[in-house]
Amino acid sequence: QDNRISIWSVGDLGNVSLNGEYQGEPQLLCDIRHNGDVMDMQFLDQERIVVASSTGTVTVFRHHQNNQTLSANQRWEKAHYHVDQYTSCGGAACTGVICNNPEIVTVGEDGRINLFKADHKDAVRTIDNADSSTLHAVTFLRATEILTVNSIGQLKIWDLRQQRNEPSQIFSLTGDRVPLHCVDRHPNKQHIVATGGQDGMLSIWDIRQGTMPVSLLNAHEAEMWEVHFHPSNPDHLFTCSEDGSLWHWDTSTDISEKPSFLHQAGNSTTYFSHNTINQSEISAWLSNDPTKDRMEITNLIPNQTLSVNSLDVLGPCLVYGTDAEAIYVNRHLFA
């Protein structure tokens, strides 16, 4: 009922238990009220956070580090709406936001795409009827191109330089029109994209070829809420789900050099046989069946039962939030 944006400090690296869980109490540095449910949020730069609301409003909050306060820096009221922006109940949830400072792209339940610029009052560009169904997530492919996923299993590429309001390419899961909830682009190979959706499957796409995924991998038993390539080590991918699991997918080449943390989860680590392949020539993600190459899948929280709603990963740290109203920090991904 009462939503807040909060900034936490998780302290120094000293207090880590053997299994990598942070032991000290995280400190709440500051928080601020937020109107509506927080649907998505992303840092724009060191101080500013862009937040998507279920009311359709997009707000930029500034974190003042000198006195540890948060303030609303900029707001686009009802950036997403069903009927018109001016009726009191007209807002449509803003479901996803992605930043490439100073640019901010938002998508929503209204099938609308907005391109904003920090410190500009009005939208730089709006594609009103980008989609007839809900857009669930968006990512940048490159500075002028974005990729959206929707509730009927489609990926669409949009070239923001083009004035036409049509996607430049459409890809789709064959058959079932399974809603896609999340998307991430490989940090080094911009043609490789991962998506996840309602059926819990992980799909890997090569947007240079065909209109269907290169591989479909059985993953979670319920909706997949988030998928992230590791930003500096993209052989590693992380997915989380309504079924309470958080999976680490590892396609790096040599099992003998594997960090031992993969064995922590005991029998939830899966090994696959490997037929040797020149990894520098082909990303393991793009082989028709990545499980034929060397791939390990580990459930990092084997006994969890409540939904894992969100995750992020940076360096050796993994952060995730669950329906237990808790935020977890694992600092030893690569122990």
Side-chain angles (χ1 to χ4, degrees), residues 14-75:
N15 309 324
V16 177
S17 65
L18 288 173
N19 65 359
E21 287 291 331
Y22 173 72
Q23 282 182 311
E25 283 293 311
Q27 297 298 310
L28 177 64
L29 298 179
C30 50
D31 65 0
I32 191 170
R33 287 200 60 163
H34 178 267
N35 193 11
D37 292 343
V38 175
M39 305 296 287
D40 198 8
M41 59 179 169
Q42 240 205 359
F43 276 98
L44 176 68
D45 55 26
Q46 293 289 323
E47 295 188 332
R48 289 179 294 178
I49 304 129
V50 183
V51 182
S53 170
S54 59
T55 64
T57 294
V58 178
T59 311
V60 183
F61 291 96
R62 187 179 287 276
H63 175 214
H64 307 274
Q65 295 174 5
N66 51 354
N67 62 357
Q68 291 304 346
T69 56
L70 275 166
S71 65
N73 178 242
Q74 190 172 5
R75 184 173 279 132

Side-chain angles (χ1 to χ4, degrees), residues 97-113:
V97 56
I98 190 83
C99 303
N100 183 19
N101 192 6
E103 296 186 318
I104 299 160
V105 174
T106 69
V107 296
E109 270 180 13
D110 53 357
R112 202 172 258 107
I113 298 172

Side-chain angles (χ1 to χ4, degrees), residues 136-251:
H136 282 140
V138 59
T139 190
F140 274 100
L141 281 180
R142 43 184 68 82
T144 55
E145 273 189 323
I146 57 166
L147 183 83
T148 57
V149 294
N150 70 12
S151 59
I152 55 170
Q154 294 173 320
L155 272 77
K156 296 183 182 179
I157 296 179
W158 305 83
D159 186 338
L160 298 173
R161 292 165 303 190
Q162 302 285 338
Q163 282 315 301
R164 356 177 255 123
N165 290 344
E166 256 79 59
S168 51
Q169 275 178 281
I170 300 179
F171 303 83
S172 59
L173 292 168
T174 46
D176 300 341
R177 298 197 153 207
V178 173
L180 290 171
H181 292 307
C182 52
V183 58
D184 197 29
R185 188 204 82 200
H186 190 290
N188 315 336
K189 299 188 169 81
Q190 288 163 333
H191 54 277
I192 302 178
V193 171
T195 63
Q198 191 168 299
D199 58 1
M201 299 276 281
L202 173 65
S203 307
I204 307 291
W205 310 69
D206 180 349
I207 59 173
R208 299 169 305 182
Q209 55 180 6
T211 56
M212 294 178 348
V214 183
S215 54
L216 284 169
L217 297 161
N218 275 317
H220 303 281
E221 288 165 24
E223 292 92 335
M224 186 190 295
W225 291 132
E226 195 107 63
V227 57
H228 277 298
F229 284 101
H230 192 287
S232 54
N233 198 345
D235 288 342
H236 300 265
L237 179 106
F238 298 85
T239 58
C240 64
S241 167
E242 180 72 28
D243 67 10
S245 60
L246 192 161
W247 284 21
H248 174 187
W249 305 71
D250 179 0
T251 64

Side-chain angles (χ1 to χ4, degrees), residues 47 88 142 146 185 203 220 261 281-282 287 289 295 308 317 319:
E47 295 188 332
S88 59
R142 43 184 68 82
I146 57 166
R185 188 204 82 200
S203 307
H220 303 281
F261 81 95
E281 294 302 310
I282 175 172
S287 68
D289 180 4
M295 186 191 278
V308 185
C317 284
V319 179

